[in-house]
Structures are given as structure tokens and as C-alpha cells.
């Protein structure tokens, strides 16, 4: 097997972006270890892979499971070039409505699980002096809205950590890519969406979000297969970005958010700068 191809380890491959990333990487001539908590759901991918797709169980909240999956990737394909942290699910509910146990469970999968997988793969990428870490975030990794506080908190945390990670591993030859999709036709909004028990006081602020969630699954404009191919294209470019927005809605909403942040920064800059000790300049 020539080493012009790449070996991917992808989490959360039973549906949505994970499944499409497996197919896109395979179509590009690469090899993939597809993972899911129930790997039997991946049997059709393996059957269609012609020996270039393998599957194994992976629960990102279980360090032993993470280590075993990394070992399977190395044992099956000899190396890992790209790791994609994709496992996760949605959540809707106002902040006061959140059960902390549910919030912690969400963070375990979407933040701590991604960190665990990243840490497990990094020694192998460092040894090779190359590779890529792909963090499947969301436009909700930069833009939050009523009712999505828990979900966006996990994505904000992942993006903050990944921005630091990118600067740490870039000198080692490793690329970090944060992917920020908008509304794509995955199962987001469907059965995998956790819903907090509503408090009537938040009907006005979070009610529209809850209603949108109930109608969302199957109506989103984004094509996850095209999104997956876009990720493959970016990883093959000579100068990949740190962040990749996917979907016109992501471009528009993130752009509007950045404009609003800049406007607030500029509006209050004089007061912000006036807080230094007398005779001491900020550096």
C-alpha cells in the first residue's frame, strides 16, 4: 500500500457527518477506521469499503475504549494521519432549565471525549511529524442563541481548546481544522436531541428555538455529503484555514456575530483602555 493515501480515524460514524466523512475519505482513495458505540451499524460501510474501511466500537467517554480504538487503527492500517472528533448530539433548553447532570453528560461526549481522543492520537502524529486533527464544531461554536446554551457551551469550549492546540502542534507539522457547519440534513433536531423540561417564563425567549427544533430534522438546506467533501478538499490544500464555515447560513451568522463583536469593542474601546494603572502601559 503506497503512502500517498491517508488513514482516518473518525468518531460518531453511525449517521450524519461522520458517515459522510467515511464515504468522502474513501472516495478520495484514503483508508478509514469508522467508529461508533454500536459498530454493527457500520457493517454496510465496511462491506462497501473493499478492505479500505474497517469499523470498531468507540465510546469517547471511556478512556479504555478510546485507547483500544487507536490501537485498532494502528494494528489495521499501520498509522493514523487524520483524526475527526465528530461524536455528539444536540440539546435544547434555557440555562435555568438545564439539569447539571445532563449538561455534564453533554460535555463528556462533545468536549472531554474529543480531548481524550485528540490526546490519544497526538503521540502518533508527533512521531510522524505530520497529520491533521479535525474538530467538528458548529456555527454554534461562535454564535449562541436562546435555548442552545448547553450545546454551544460544549462547542465554544472545543473551539477555545482547539485554537490553543493549533498553535501548539503547528511547529510539529500537525494541522488543526475547526469545522463550523450551519443547518445540514443530519439527525440534528431528531431523536438525538435532548430536550430540557420547559419553564413557562422562558416561553417567549426559547419557545421559537424549541419549535424550530421540532420541525428541523429533514428540512435543513445543507447537504452533509458536500460538507464532507469540502473537509477532504480543505485538508488537501496547501494552506488550510483554522476554521471552516460550511453553509451559507454559517457564513452569514458567523459574519454578523463577528461584526457585532467588533462594533462593541470599538464603541467601548476608550473606556476599556482607561483602566490601566497610572503610568503603566499595557503590553
Amino acid at each position: 500500500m503506497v503512502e500517498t493515501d491517508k488513514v482516518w480515524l473518525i468518531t460518531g460514524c453511525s449517521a450524519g457527518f461522520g458517515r459522510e466523512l467515511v464515504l468522502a475519505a474513501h472516495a478520495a482513495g484514503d483508508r478509514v477506521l469508522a467508529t461508533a458505540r454500536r459498530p454493527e451499524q457500520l457493517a454496510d460501510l465496511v462491506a462497501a469499503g473493499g478492505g479500505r474501511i474497517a469499523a470498531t466500537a468507540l465510546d469517547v467517554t471511556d478512556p479504555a475504549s478510546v485507547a483500544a480504538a487507536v490501537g485498532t487503527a494502528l494494528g489495521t492500517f499501520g498509522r493514523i494521519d487524520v483524526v475527526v472528533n465528530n461524536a455528539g448530539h444536540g440539546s435544547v433548553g434555557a440555562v435555568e432549565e438545564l439539569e447539571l447532570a445532563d449538561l455534564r453528560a453533554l460535555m463528556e461526549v462533545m468536549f472531554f471525549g474529543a480531548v481524550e481522543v485528540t490526546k490519544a492520537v497526538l503521540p502518533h502524529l508527533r512521531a510522524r511529524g505530520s497529520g491533521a486533527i479535525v474538530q467538528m464544531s458548529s456555527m454554534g461554536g461562535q454564535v449562541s442563541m436562546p435555548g442552545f446554551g448547553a450545546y454551544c457551551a460544549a462547542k465554544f469550549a472545543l473551539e477555545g481548546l482547539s485554537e490553543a492546540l493549533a498553535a501548539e502542534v503547528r511547529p510539529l507539522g500537525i494541522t488543526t481544522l475547526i469545522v463550523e457547519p450551519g443547518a445540514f440534513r443530519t439527525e440534528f433536531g431528531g431523536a438525538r436531541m435532548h430536550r430540557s423540561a420547559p419553564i413557562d417564563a422562558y416561553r417567549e425567549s426559547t419557545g421559537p428555538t424549541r419549535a424550530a427544533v421540532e420541525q428541523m430534522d429533514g428540512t435543513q438546506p445543507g447537504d452533509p455529503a458536500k460538507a464532507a467533501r469540502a473537509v477532504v478538499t480543505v485538508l488537501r490544500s496547501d494552506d488550510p484555514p483554522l476554521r471552516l464555515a460550511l453553509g451559507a447560513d454559517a457564513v452569514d451568522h458567523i459574519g454578523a456575530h463577528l461584526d457585532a463583536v467588533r462594533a462593541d469593542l470599538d464603541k467601548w474601546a476608550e473606556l476599556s483602555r482607561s483602566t490601566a494603572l497610572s503610568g503603566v502601559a499595557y503590553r
Side-chain angles (χ1 to χ4, degrees):
M1 183 67 63
V2 296
E3 289 203 2
T4 54
D5 67 342
K6 297 192 180 298
V7 174
W8 296 57
L9 189 160
I10 305 174
T11 71
C13 296
S14 61
F17 289 123
R19 188 176 187 85
E20 294 298 341
L21 282 164
V22 173
L23 295 171
H26 178 263
D30 293 345
R31 294 174 286 168
V32 186
L33 180 66
T35 73
R37 285 181 296 176
R38 294 191 293 166
E40 63 272 16
Q41 296 177 319
L42 311 177
D44 61 323
L45 292 174
V46 176
R52 301 180 69 85
I53 299 175
T56 194
L58 175 54
D59 178 351
V60 299
T61 68
D62 179 359
S65 179
V66 171
V70 171
T72 298
L74 297 172
T76 303
F77 296 125
R79 67 182 198 275
I80 298 171
D81 300 298
V82 182
V83 59
V84 182
N85 285 303
N86 171 70
H89 57 83
S91 172
V92 63
V95 171
E96 188 181 347
E97 296 167 350
L98 298 176
E99 295 288 343
L100 288 186
D102 293 333
L103 176 59
R104 290 188 175 100
L106 186 78
M107 295 294 289
E108 282 292 339
V109 173
M110 295 171 59
F111 177 66
F112 291 110
V115 175
E116 188 77 44
V117 172
T118 299
K119 283 171 57 64
V121 173
L122 269 172
H124 307 285
L125 302 185
R126 287 194 289 105
R128 293 180 62 82
S130 64
I133 300 160
V134 180
Q135 311 286 35
M136 293 302 294
S137 181
S138 164
M139 70 178 181
Q142 291 202 50
V143 182
S144 194
M145 62 187 66
F148 282 152
Y151 177 81
C152 292
K155 296 301 189 182
F156 270 54
L158 182 63
E159 293 211 10
L161 179 132
S162 299
E163 191 167 313
L165 173 69
E168 294 162 0
V169 301
R170 189 179 301 115
L172 307 177
I174 302 168
T175 297
T176 305
L177 176 65
I178 302 169
V179 182
E180 298 172 329
F184 278 76
R185 200 158 297 186
T186 64
E187 292 182 357
F188 190 90
R192 298 187 181 193
M193 178 72 74
H194 177 267
R195 295 158 174 82
S196 298
I199 296 173
D200 192 64
Y202 296 104
R203 182 191 301 267
E204 180 179 349
S205 60
T206 65
T209 303
R210 286 182 177 274
V213 163
E214 296 305 321
Q215 302 168 12
M216 180 182 298
D217 192 27
T219 66
Q220 303 96 324
D223 182 342
K226 290 181 179 179
R229 291 196 292 270
V231 171
V232 172
T233 297
V234 165
L235 290 178
R236 280 169 160 69
S237 69
D238 293 332
D239 187 24
L242 173 60
R243 288 179 168 87
L244 175 67
L246 291 175
D249 54 345
V251 173
D252 292 344
H253 285 297
I254 292 172
H257 172 70
L258 294 175
D259 289 344
V261 170
R262 185 77 214 188
D264 278 348
L265 184 68
D266 290 344
K267 180 178 179 179
W268 295 97
E270 184 175 352
L271 179 63
S272 300
R273 294 180 184 280
S274 72
T275 55
L277 289 166
S278 298
V280 178
Y282 283 107
R283 296 183 180 179

